[in-house]
Each structure stands twice: as structure tokens, then as C-alpha cells.
Amino acid sequence: MVGVGPALGALRLVREGLRQGLDAPEALIRGAAVLPRDTRRAVERAARRLDGDYREDEWGFDEEFADLVLPFLDFLYDRWWRVRTLGAGNVPGHGRALMVANHAGILPWDATMISMGLLREHPLPRYPRFLVLDWAFSLPWVSVAIRKVGGVAASPFNALRLLESDQLVAVFPEGVKGTGKPFRERYRLQRFGRGGFVELALRTGSSIVPVAVVGSEEIYPKLGESSPLARAIGAPFFPLTPLFPWLGPAGVVPLPSRWLIEFCEPIPTAHHGPDAADDRSLVLELSEQVRDTIQAKLLENVVRRGPAFA
Amino acid sequence: MTGRRVLITGVGSFFGGELARRLERDDEVEHIVGLDTRRPGARLKRTELIHADIRDPKIAGLIAPTRVDTVVHNQIVRQPGPGMSPRTMHDINVIGSLQLLAACEKVDSIRTFVVRGSAGIYGAEPHAPQFFTEDMARLFPLRTRFQRDVGEIENYFETFARRHPGVTCTMLRYQPAIGAGVDTQISRYLTMPVVPTHLGFDPRLQVVHASDAVDALAVAVRNPVRGPVNVAGPGTIGVTRMVRLAGRTTLPLVGPFFGPVTSAAKRVGLPVLSEDFGRLLRHGRAVDIRRLEEEVGFSPRFTTEMALEDWVQAPARAAA
């Protein structure tokens, strides 16, 4: 951490720089000169970003931003949730693939931890793109943060385009039914929509990787919900947890449960051909197969993980 | 075979004038007719100018004798300029298109119609697909007046195309254009003293370089396809990054204040942000341009990012 001395020195330099008519980013870079090296790098990077000197891909994914928040996610992964990741090698290292996971925990923390698990455990790490409930994209700040770390609005068009450009995509077919289910139904998978994700996989010949996430169910134990409040803010539901909304913003802090993420054997779909996407019976059969795989793994891993808060 | 005969509406605008200039250099184009009430800014050599208002039913009598085979409808107003009311803009867009089509009903030499339309028809929505393809025009209700105008214009042209199977109607759906010295919504926005944004939002925008915008028209005249085609520079750019690259300061405003503050800015002589543009700044929009590249055969030279950088560097280039 930066001591008080260098920090004050840096501030003084920034102020002088500004007085000499430098613009804000330049003054910041000059001020950072007296800081320790790591901090200096961070300040310089932040200053360059103020000049618009950063990259975003056509989806708005900002790898530098994702790297910037990495230490925070590292903390959540190692200390807060003490995540263990198994079977990361089951995710293809390159080319298109569709990860299908169970969804819980109101905010998409499970998506970030799946990404972290891959970045940490996979021999060829890459950032997956995940499909996020549309509603999140009408929220200030949340929408920006989500797209910058690789989230896109949950629309089959988006998923199709991502897979066609050989990305690794994560979907949560339970959707709002998964995040909004009460605590007593934890680790019981909800209906998998109409199997839209299987259609996408078949149409693009992507293999499906089922992912079982244990631990996300306990971070926001939903005890009840309030429909008038949900209607008032236009949200799909308004959760009542032991902390939220009673503690205000602090109620958003997730509980530190212990997590276990497992990537299961991939299910290839390419041999069916793209036209199989219109075969209802095959789509439902595969959808059920994926659902059963995840459900079985969840029950197995809940036991394996042991008590949630030990 | 004799050369092409092309009519351009709105030839007094930057895009109309530049297109005329480009076609003048093309040997396959035998004759060019420009229709407008304004004088073209570009210096034109062999373009026949017709001074008429597109809303005037009398244009029927003026168009018929030109025996054109191609009509480029370029007079669709995206933002009311100084001294133009939203009402006039609506009249030019909707009544103008209607009168033009009515005038063309009786000209049987016409084989091709190219319209410089707008991607505004897709709207700007938080839940939208991140890249609109041409078949997604009416996924969402048309919310603003301009969107409804564009929807109306597209309806007219679809009906016209159905009634005249021999005429190829290309509806080019343009993203906002940007280019050195061209007055567009984006350039007006980025030259404001402080640039208003929606607090907590940083949507992806997509623009097309002005020269690519003109080239796309010229290529579509040569190689028209039926139906809508998106026109944009590949890639997207976040609003915040765009404003920072332009070297401006943002003024983040909370949702409900955005409208009142930007319309108050109008009274002190600042450019007006249309309702459409306000929505665009909140939710953004990008389109898929595969149809433009593969079927029309035109690939923009500038990506969205390059178009913006080119515009930012233009003053320095001019000074050097």
C-alpha cells in the first residue's frame, strides 16, 4: 500500500502540473512519478484511460478493464468463497463451445466465478462471454461493468453471433427462474426453458459443456419477495434476504459460502448437423441430458463440499 | 447500350453533392439530375440541376422528361438543422418521400431505387440484440417521431417495390455518419463545450465515415439489391471512449434531467439533441453489415473507431 508521504507528494505534483496548464491525465502521470512502482503503473494506466486510450471489442468487452478488476475477483475467489474448480480441462481451449450452468444468487456472481475458474485452472485460459438477463442492461453502472467483463444481453441472436465467431459462451438456461427461486429449493434445477441453448449449439456445431456450480445458492438466501417493490422498479422480482434490503447497500454483500465448480465432460453436437436444430425431439432430449448431468453433479458436489459456511 | 441516367434528391446536401461528383467521374453514367431547393456545395460540372421542393406535387412533371433509370432518394433529414422545425423535418421526410414515389409511378424508365434511409428504425433498446440484422426492423415499437417517419418511408418503398416488380429498391439503413467538415448529429454532439451523457451508462455506438457513406450509395447504384441493407463502419465504440478521444469533458446527467438540460442548452445556442439521439446515448445500437459486404459488395474502408480517429485528427491535418 502507498504510504501517506509519497501520496501527499504525488498530490502536490498533480496540483502543480494542473496549475502549469497540463490537462488532467498528464498531470496525473507526472504526479505518479514519486509513487512506488506498482501504484505508479496503476495510476498511469488510469490516466491513459482518461484520454480514451483503451480498447473495446465490438461487443464492448474491455480486456484491460477486466484485468483491472481481477485482483478484486481474485479476492472473492480465494478468500471470500474459497472456490475449488474441477475439470477445467473439459472446456475446449479454442474454438466455439457452449457452457451451460445452473444459475443462482440473484446477481451474476456465478458467471464471474466460472470465468475466474477457467482463467486460473485452464491450460489455455480465455475470457468466456456470458449471456446475462436483459434487465441488467437497463441498470446504470451495472450494465457498463457487465459488458466490459464480457457479458451480453441474453438473446439468441447474440449467442449465435458469438458462437459463429468461435467464442466460448456461457448460458444459464434457468434464467430468472433460477436466480429467483426461494432458498428452500436450492440445488434443485428449474426448467431449462424450451431448450433454446441446444438449438444454438446444434446450429453452430458447438459442443456443450455442462457446468455445476455449488455455493452460489447460499450467497443470497432468498426468504421471500415483494411484488409491489419489483413492479415499482421494473425488476423481474425483488428479493428479501436476511441482509437485503434491511442493511441498505451493505445488504448486497454476498455471504461467504464455500464454492465448488465442476466442468463436466463436453457433449459434442457437430455430428448431428445444423439442420438438427429443428428436430424438436433431439433438442429436448439433449436439453434433458444436460439438465440431468448438472443435477446429478450438483447433488454429488453438495455432499463433497460439506457445510456451506465452515 | 447507353449509360445510366441518375436522379439524386437532396443534391444540396453534403452526401447528395458528393455522390453527384463521384458519378460525374464515372463514364458509365451518362446523365445526372440533381433535385433540391438548395444550391449544391460541391462544384458540379455536368449535373443538371432542377430547383424544386420535393414536397411539391409539381415535381412529377419535372422528373418524367429526364427519362432517368435510377433514383437515389437522399433527402431524408436526420436532425432538424438551424431554423428547421421538427414539423418541417417530418414533412420533408414523409410527404417528400410520398410525392417522390407518386411522381415516379408514371416514369416507366425507372429500374433502380436507392434510398439513404436510417438504422434509426431499429431504435435504441437495452434488451436489443447487440447487432441488428436487416430482418429485425420491428422487434420493438417505434418510439420516436423520427423512427415512425423512417418506418413510414420504408412502408412506402415496400409497397412501391411490390407494385413494380421490375424496379429494384434498395433501402440503405445508415448509422450516423461522421467526417471532417460534415455537419452531422455526432459531430455536433462532440463539439459541444461539455458533452452530456447519461450517468451510469456507456453504450456502444457505431458510426460510418462520410466518405464510406457516399461510396456505399455509389456502389448501391451500380449493384442494387432488393430490400434493406445496413450501412456502418465495422466494430463499435463506447460513448465515453468516443468523447475522451475527441478530447472533450463529459457532463453525466441523471436520466430524468437529461431531456430538460439538453433542451435548455438549445436556448443558449447549443445544438439540439433529438429524442432519437438521446435514446442512442443511453442504450446504443450496432448493426450487422454482412449483407452490405457480401451482397452489395462494398466493404467500408473505415471501421467505427478509425472513422472517429480520422475526424478527431482532421483539424491538425488541415493546419499542417
Short mmCIF file of all heavy atoms in Angstrom, two decimals, chain A residues 203-251:
data_model
loop_
_atom_site.label_atom_id
_atom_site.label_comp_id
_atom_site.label_asym_id
_atom_site.label_seq_id
_atom_site.Cartn_x
_atom_site.Cartn_y
_atom_site.Cartn_z
N ARG A 203 -27.02 -25.61 -34.24
CA ARG A 203 -26.91 -24.77 -35.43
C ARG A 203 -25.45 -24.39 -35.71
O ARG A 203 -25.06 -24.24 -36.86
CB ARG A 203 -27.77 -23.51 -35.26
CG ARG A 203 -28.36 -23.02 -36.56
CD ARG A 203 -29.38 -21.93 -36.35
NE ARG A 203 -30.67 -22.38 -35.82
CZ ARG A 203 -31.57 -23.08 -36.50
NH1 ARG A 203 -31.33 -23.40 -37.75
NH2 ARG A 203 -32.71 -23.44 -35.95
N THR A 204 -24.66 -24.22 -34.65
CA THR A 204 -23.29 -23.78 -34.85
C THR A 204 -22.29 -24.93 -34.69
O THR A 204 -21.10 -24.72 -34.81
CB THR A 204 -22.92 -22.70 -33.81
OG1 THR A 204 -23.18 -23.22 -32.51
CG2 THR A 204 -23.73 -21.44 -34.01
N GLY A 205 -22.80 -26.15 -34.41
CA GLY A 205 -21.90 -27.29 -34.24
C GLY A 205 -20.98 -27.15 -33.04
O GLY A 205 -19.86 -27.68 -33.05
N SER A 206 -21.41 -26.43 -32.01
CA SER A 206 -20.58 -26.26 -30.82
C SER A 206 -20.83 -27.41 -29.86
O SER A 206 -21.96 -27.88 -29.75
CB SER A 206 -20.93 -24.96 -30.10
OG SER A 206 -21.24 -23.94 -31.00
N SER A 207 -19.78 -27.83 -29.13
CA SER A 207 -20.05 -28.82 -28.11
C SER A 207 -20.57 -28.12 -26.85
O SER A 207 -20.29 -26.95 -26.62
CB SER A 207 -18.82 -29.67 -27.81
OG SER A 207 -17.69 -28.87 -27.77
N ILE A 208 -21.34 -28.88 -26.06
CA ILE A 208 -21.95 -28.34 -24.86
C ILE A 208 -21.16 -28.84 -23.64
O ILE A 208 -20.93 -30.04 -23.51
CB ILE A 208 -23.42 -28.79 -24.74
CG1 ILE A 208 -24.22 -28.30 -25.95
CG2 ILE A 208 -24.04 -28.28 -23.44
CD1 ILE A 208 -25.66 -28.79 -25.97
N VAL A 209 -20.74 -27.91 -22.80
CA VAL A 209 -20.04 -28.29 -21.58
C VAL A 209 -20.95 -27.99 -20.39
O VAL A 209 -21.17 -26.83 -20.06
CB VAL A 209 -18.72 -27.50 -21.41
CG1 VAL A 209 -17.97 -27.97 -20.18
CG2 VAL A 209 -17.86 -27.61 -22.65
N PRO A 210 -21.50 -29.02 -19.73
CA PRO A 210 -22.34 -28.74 -18.55
C PRO A 210 -21.45 -28.31 -17.38
O PRO A 210 -20.36 -28.85 -17.21
CB PRO A 210 -23.00 -30.09 -18.24
CG PRO A 210 -22.76 -30.95 -19.45
CD PRO A 210 -21.50 -30.45 -20.07
N VAL A 211 -21.90 -27.30 -16.66
CA VAL A 211 -21.12 -26.79 -15.53
C VAL A 211 -22.00 -26.82 -14.28
O VAL A 211 -23.14 -26.33 -14.32
CB VAL A 211 -20.64 -25.34 -15.78
CG1 VAL A 211 -19.75 -24.86 -14.65
CG2 VAL A 211 -19.92 -25.23 -17.11
N ALA A 212 -21.50 -27.40 -13.21
CA ALA A 212 -22.26 -27.45 -11.96
C ALA A 212 -21.59 -26.53 -10.95
O ALA A 212 -20.41 -26.69 -10.65
CB ALA A 212 -22.31 -28.88 -11.43
N VAL A 213 -22.33 -25.53 -10.47
CA VAL A 213 -21.78 -24.57 -9.52
C VAL A 213 -22.42 -24.79 -8.16
O VAL A 213 -23.63 -24.63 -8.01
CB VAL A 213 -22.03 -23.12 -9.99
CG1 VAL A 213 -21.39 -22.13 -9.01
CG2 VAL A 213 -21.51 -22.90 -11.38
N VAL A 214 -21.62 -25.17 -7.16
CA VAL A 214 -22.12 -25.34 -5.81
C VAL A 214 -21.59 -24.19 -4.96
O VAL A 214 -20.40 -23.89 -5.01
CB VAL A 214 -21.67 -26.69 -5.22
CG1 VAL A 214 -21.96 -26.76 -3.72
CG2 VAL A 214 -22.36 -27.83 -5.94
N GLY A 215 -22.46 -23.53 -4.23
CA GLY A 215 -22.04 -22.43 -3.36
C GLY A 215 -22.80 -21.15 -3.65
O GLY A 215 -23.05 -20.36 -2.75
N SER A 216 -23.18 -20.96 -4.93
CA SER A 216 -23.87 -19.73 -5.30
C SER A 216 -25.26 -19.65 -4.67
O SER A 216 -25.80 -18.58 -4.48
CB SER A 216 -23.98 -19.63 -6.82
OG SER A 216 -24.57 -20.81 -7.33
N GLU A 217 -25.81 -20.81 -4.31
CA GLU A 217 -27.16 -20.82 -3.75
C GLU A 217 -27.21 -20.17 -2.37
O GLU A 217 -28.25 -19.71 -1.93
CB GLU A 217 -27.69 -22.25 -3.63
CG GLU A 217 -27.88 -22.95 -4.95
CD GLU A 217 -29.22 -22.67 -5.60
OE1 GLU A 217 -29.90 -21.72 -5.15
OE2 GLU A 217 -29.57 -23.39 -6.54
N GLU A 218 -26.06 -20.17 -1.67
CA GLU A 218 -26.09 -19.66 -0.29
C GLU A 218 -25.69 -18.20 -0.15
O GLU A 218 -25.74 -17.65 0.93
CB GLU A 218 -25.15 -20.51 0.60
CG GLU A 218 -25.67 -21.90 0.92
CD GLU A 218 -25.15 -22.94 -0.06
OE1 GLU A 218 -24.36 -22.56 -0.94
OE2 GLU A 218 -25.54 -24.11 0.04
N ILE A 219 -25.26 -17.55 -1.28
CA ILE A 219 -24.72 -16.19 -1.11
C ILE A 219 -25.81 -15.17 -0.81
O ILE A 219 -25.57 -14.21 -0.10
CB ILE A 219 -23.86 -15.75 -2.31
CG1 ILE A 219 -24.68 -15.67 -3.59
CG2 ILE A 219 -22.68 -16.68 -2.49
CD1 ILE A 219 -23.88 -15.10 -4.76
N TYR A 220 -27.00 -15.39 -1.38
CA TYR A 220 -28.14 -14.52 -1.07
C TYR A 220 -29.33 -15.43 -0.77
O TYR A 220 -30.14 -15.66 -1.65
CB TYR A 220 -28.51 -13.63 -2.26
CG TYR A 220 -27.47 -12.63 -2.70
CD1 TYR A 220 -26.94 -12.68 -3.98
CD2 TYR A 220 -27.04 -11.62 -1.84
CE1 TYR A 220 -26.00 -11.75 -4.41
CE2 TYR A 220 -26.11 -10.69 -2.26
CZ TYR A 220 -25.59 -10.77 -3.54
OH TYR A 220 -24.67 -9.86 -3.97
N PRO A 221 -29.42 -15.97 0.44
CA PRO A 221 -30.55 -16.88 0.70
C PRO A 221 -31.87 -16.12 0.59
O PRO A 221 -32.15 -15.26 1.42
CB PRO A 221 -30.32 -17.36 2.14
CG PRO A 221 -29.03 -16.76 2.58
CD PRO A 221 -28.61 -15.71 1.62
N LYS A 222 -32.64 -16.41 -0.45
CA LYS A 222 -33.87 -15.65 -0.67
C LYS A 222 -34.99 -16.24 0.16
O LYS A 222 -35.40 -17.38 -0.03
CB LYS A 222 -34.25 -15.67 -2.15
CG LYS A 222 -35.24 -14.58 -2.49
CD LYS A 222 -35.78 -14.71 -3.88
CE LYS A 222 -37.24 -15.05 -3.78
NZ LYS A 222 -37.86 -15.37 -5.03
N LEU A 223 -35.47 -15.44 1.12
CA LEU A 223 -36.50 -15.94 2.02
C LEU A 223 -37.88 -15.56 1.53
O LEU A 223 -38.86 -16.25 1.80
CB LEU A 223 -36.27 -15.36 3.42
CG LEU A 223 -34.87 -15.67 3.99
CD1 LEU A 223 -34.68 -14.99 5.33
CD2 LEU A 223 -34.65 -17.18 4.10
N GLY A 224 -37.98 -14.46 0.82
CA GLY A 224 -39.28 -14.04 0.32
C GLY A 224 -39.08 -13.04 -0.77
O GLY A 224 -37.95 -12.76 -1.17
N GLU A 225 -40.18 -12.49 -1.29
CA GLU A 225 -40.04 -11.43 -2.29
C GLU A 225 -41.21 -10.48 -2.18
O GLU A 225 -42.24 -10.81 -1.58
CB GLU A 225 -39.90 -12.00 -3.69
CG GLU A 225 -41.07 -12.83 -4.17
CD GLU A 225 -40.83 -13.31 -5.59
OE1 GLU A 225 -39.94 -14.16 -5.76
OE2 GLU A 225 -41.51 -12.84 -6.50
N SER A 226 -41.02 -9.29 -2.75
CA SER A 226 -42.06 -8.28 -2.68
C SER A 226 -42.44 -7.87 -4.08
O SER A 226 -41.66 -7.24 -4.78
CB SER A 226 -41.52 -7.09 -1.88
OG SER A 226 -42.30 -5.96 -2.17
N SER A 227 -43.65 -8.23 -4.50
CA SER A 227 -44.04 -7.87 -5.86
C SER A 227 -44.29 -6.37 -6.04
O SER A 227 -43.96 -5.84 -7.08
CB SER A 227 -45.24 -8.67 -6.34
OG SER A 227 -45.58 -9.68 -5.48
N PRO A 228 -44.88 -5.66 -5.04
CA PRO A 228 -45.09 -4.22 -5.28
C PRO A 228 -43.76 -3.49 -5.53
O PRO A 228 -43.68 -2.67 -6.43
CB PRO A 228 -45.72 -3.72 -3.97
CG PRO A 228 -46.23 -4.92 -3.28
CD PRO A 228 -45.43 -6.08 -3.74
N LEU A 229 -42.71 -3.86 -4.76
CA LEU A 229 -41.42 -3.21 -4.96
C LEU A 229 -40.83 -3.58 -6.32
O LEU A 229 -40.24 -2.73 -7.00
CB LEU A 229 -40.45 -3.61 -3.84
CG LEU A 229 -40.65 -2.86 -2.52
CD1 LEU A 229 -39.74 -3.43 -1.44
CD2 LEU A 229 -40.37 -1.38 -2.71
N ALA A 230 -40.98 -4.84 -6.71
CA ALA A 230 -40.47 -5.27 -8.01
C ALA A 230 -41.14 -4.47 -9.12
O ALA A 230 -40.50 -3.99 -10.05
CB ALA A 230 -40.72 -6.76 -8.20
N ARG A 231 -42.49 -4.30 -8.99
CA ARG A 231 -43.22 -3.53 -10.00
C ARG A 231 -42.73 -2.10 -10.02
O ARG A 231 -42.54 -1.51 -11.07
CB ARG A 231 -44.72 -3.58 -9.72
CG ARG A 231 -45.45 -4.60 -10.57
CD ARG A 231 -46.93 -4.29 -10.62
NE ARG A 231 -47.53 -4.20 -9.29
CZ ARG A 231 -47.91 -5.25 -8.57
NH1 ARG A 231 -47.75 -6.47 -9.05
NH2 ARG A 231 -48.43 -5.09 -7.38
N ALA A 232 -42.48 -1.55 -8.81
CA ALA A 232 -42.10 -0.14 -8.71
C ALA A 232 -40.79 0.13 -9.45
O ALA A 232 -40.63 1.17 -10.08
CB ALA A 232 -41.98 0.27 -7.25
N ILE A 233 -39.83 -0.79 -9.39
CA ILE A 233 -38.56 -0.52 -10.06
C ILE A 233 -38.43 -1.28 -11.37
O ILE A 233 -37.38 -1.26 -12.02
CB ILE A 233 -37.34 -0.83 -9.14
CG1 ILE A 233 -37.35 -2.30 -8.71
CG2 ILE A 233 -37.32 0.07 -7.93
CD1 ILE A 233 -36.06 -2.72 -8.03
N GLY A 234 -39.50 -1.96 -11.78
CA GLY A 234 -39.48 -2.65 -13.07
C GLY A 234 -38.58 -3.86 -13.10
O GLY A 234 -38.14 -4.29 -14.16
N ALA A 235 -38.28 -4.43 -11.94
CA ALA A 235 -37.41 -5.60 -11.89
C ALA A 235 -38.25 -6.86 -12.04
O ALA A 235 -39.43 -6.86 -11.76
CB ALA A 235 -36.67 -5.62 -10.55
N PRO A 236 -37.60 -7.96 -12.50
CA PRO A 236 -38.36 -9.22 -12.62
C PRO A 236 -38.83 -9.73 -11.25
O PRO A 236 -39.87 -10.36 -11.15
CB PRO A 236 -37.37 -10.18 -13.25
CG PRO A 236 -36.07 -9.49 -13.37
CD PRO A 236 -36.24 -8.07 -13.00
N PHE A 237 -38.07 -9.48 -10.19
CA PHE A 237 -38.51 -9.81 -8.83
C PHE A 237 -37.72 -8.96 -7.86
O PHE A 237 -36.67 -8.42 -8.21
CB PHE A 237 -38.34 -11.31 -8.51
CG PHE A 237 -36.92 -11.77 -8.58
CD1 PHE A 237 -36.13 -11.76 -7.43
CD2 PHE A 237 -36.36 -12.23 -9.77
CE1 PHE A 237 -34.80 -12.19 -7.49
CE2 PHE A 237 -35.03 -12.64 -9.81
CZ PHE A 237 -34.26 -12.62 -8.67
N PHE A 238 -38.23 -8.82 -6.63
CA PHE A 238 -37.50 -8.04 -5.63
C PHE A 238 -37.23 -8.95 -4.45
O PHE A 238 -38.14 -9.30 -3.71
CB PHE A 238 -38.32 -6.82 -5.20
CG PHE A 238 -37.54 -5.86 -4.33
CD1 PHE A 238 -36.86 -4.79 -4.90
CD2 PHE A 238 -37.47 -6.04 -2.96
CE1 PHE A 238 -36.14 -3.91 -4.11
CE2 PHE A 238 -36.74 -5.17 -2.16
CZ PHE A 238 -36.07 -4.10 -2.73
N PRO A 239 -35.97 -9.40 -4.28
CA PRO A 239 -35.69 -10.42 -3.28
C PRO A 239 -35.64 -9.84 -1.86
O PRO A 239 -35.26 -8.69 -1.65
CB PRO A 239 -34.31 -10.91 -3.69
CG PRO A 239 -33.68 -9.74 -4.35
CD PRO A 239 -34.78 -8.97 -5.01
N LEU A 240 -36.04 -10.66 -0.90
CA LEU A 240 -35.84 -10.33 0.52
C LEU A 240 -34.91 -11.41 1.07
O LEU A 240 -35.25 -12.59 1.05
CB LEU A 240 -37.17 -10.34 1.27
CG LEU A 240 -38.28 -9.45 0.68
CD1 LEU A 240 -39.59 -9.66 1.43
CD2 LEU A 240 -37.87 -7.98 0.74
N THR A 241 -33.72 -11.01 1.49
CA THR A 241 -32.77 -11.96 2.06
C THR A 241 -32.52 -11.54 3.51
O THR A 241 -33.03 -10.50 3.94
CB THR A 241 -31.43 -11.94 1.27
OG1 THR A 241 -30.70 -10.77 1.63
CG2 THR A 241 -31.66 -11.95 -0.22
N PRO A 242 -31.74 -12.32 4.27
CA PRO A 242 -31.51 -11.92 5.66
C PRO A 242 -30.88 -10.52 5.76
O PRO A 242 -31.05 -9.83 6.75
CB PRO A 242 -30.54 -12.98 6.18
CG PRO A 242 -30.75 -14.16 5.31
CD PRO A 242 -31.18 -13.63 3.98
N LEU A 243 -30.15 -10.08 4.73
CA LEU A 243 -29.47 -8.78 4.78
C LEU A 243 -30.13 -7.73 3.90
O LEU A 243 -30.00 -6.53 4.14
CB LEU A 243 -28.00 -8.93 4.36
CG LEU A 243 -27.14 -9.92 5.13
CD1 LEU A 243 -25.71 -9.86 4.63
CD2 LEU A 243 -27.18 -9.60 6.62
N PHE A 244 -30.79 -8.14 2.82
CA PHE A 244 -31.31 -7.18 1.85
C PHE A 244 -32.83 -7.15 1.92
O PHE A 244 -33.46 -8.21 1.99
CB PHE A 244 -30.84 -7.59 0.44
CG PHE A 244 -31.19 -6.59 -0.61
CD1 PHE A 244 -30.41 -5.46 -0.81
CD2 PHE A 244 -32.30 -6.79 -1.42
CE1 PHE A 244 -30.72 -4.54 -1.79
CE2 PHE A 244 -32.63 -5.86 -2.39
CZ PHE A 244 -31.83 -4.74 -2.58
N PRO A 245 -33.47 -6.00 1.87
CA PRO A 245 -32.89 -4.64 1.78
C PRO A 245 -32.65 -4.00 3.15
O PRO A 245 -32.39 -2.81 3.22
CB PRO A 245 -33.98 -3.88 1.04
CG PRO A 245 -35.25 -4.54 1.47
CD PRO A 245 -34.91 -5.97 1.81
N TRP A 246 -32.70 -4.78 4.22
CA TRP A 246 -32.67 -4.21 5.57
C TRP A 246 -31.40 -3.42 5.83
O TRP A 246 -31.42 -2.41 6.53
CB TRP A 246 -32.82 -5.31 6.62
CG TRP A 246 -33.63 -6.45 6.12
CD1 TRP A 246 -33.22 -7.71 5.85
CD2 TRP A 246 -35.03 -6.42 5.77
NE1 TRP A 246 -34.24 -8.48 5.34
CE2 TRP A 246 -35.36 -7.72 5.29
CE3 TRP A 246 -36.02 -5.45 5.80
CZ2 TRP A 246 -36.64 -8.05 4.85
CZ3 TRP A 246 -37.29 -5.77 5.37
CH2 TRP A 246 -37.59 -7.06 4.91
N LEU A 247 -30.26 -3.87 5.31
CA LEU A 247 -28.99 -3.18 5.58
C LEU A 247 -28.64 -2.16 4.49
O LEU A 247 -27.51 -1.69 4.43
CB LEU A 247 -27.86 -4.20 5.70
CG LEU A 247 -27.94 -5.16 6.89
CD1 LEU A 247 -26.67 -6.00 6.98
CD2 LEU A 247 -28.13 -4.39 8.20
N GLY A 248 -29.62 -1.87 3.62
CA GLY A 248 -29.32 -0.90 2.56
C GLY A 248 -28.29 -1.48 1.61
O GLY A 248 -28.28 -2.69 1.37
N PRO A 249 -27.38 -0.64 1.10
CA PRO A 249 -26.38 -1.11 0.13
C PRO A 249 -25.53 -2.25 0.68
O PRO A 249 -25.11 -3.14 -0.06
CB PRO A 249 -25.50 0.12 -0.12
CG PRO A 249 -26.30 1.29 0.36
CD PRO A 249 -27.24 0.79 1.40
N ALA A 250 -25.30 -2.27 2.01
CA ALA A 250 -24.48 -3.34 2.59
C ALA A 250 -25.16 -4.69 2.44
O ALA A 250 -24.51 -5.73 2.48
CB ALA A 250 -24.20 -3.04 4.05
N GLY A 251 -26.48 -4.66 2.23
CA GLY A 251 -27.22 -5.92 2.05
C GLY A 251 -26.86 -6.62 0.75
O GLY A 251 -27.21 -7.77 0.54
#
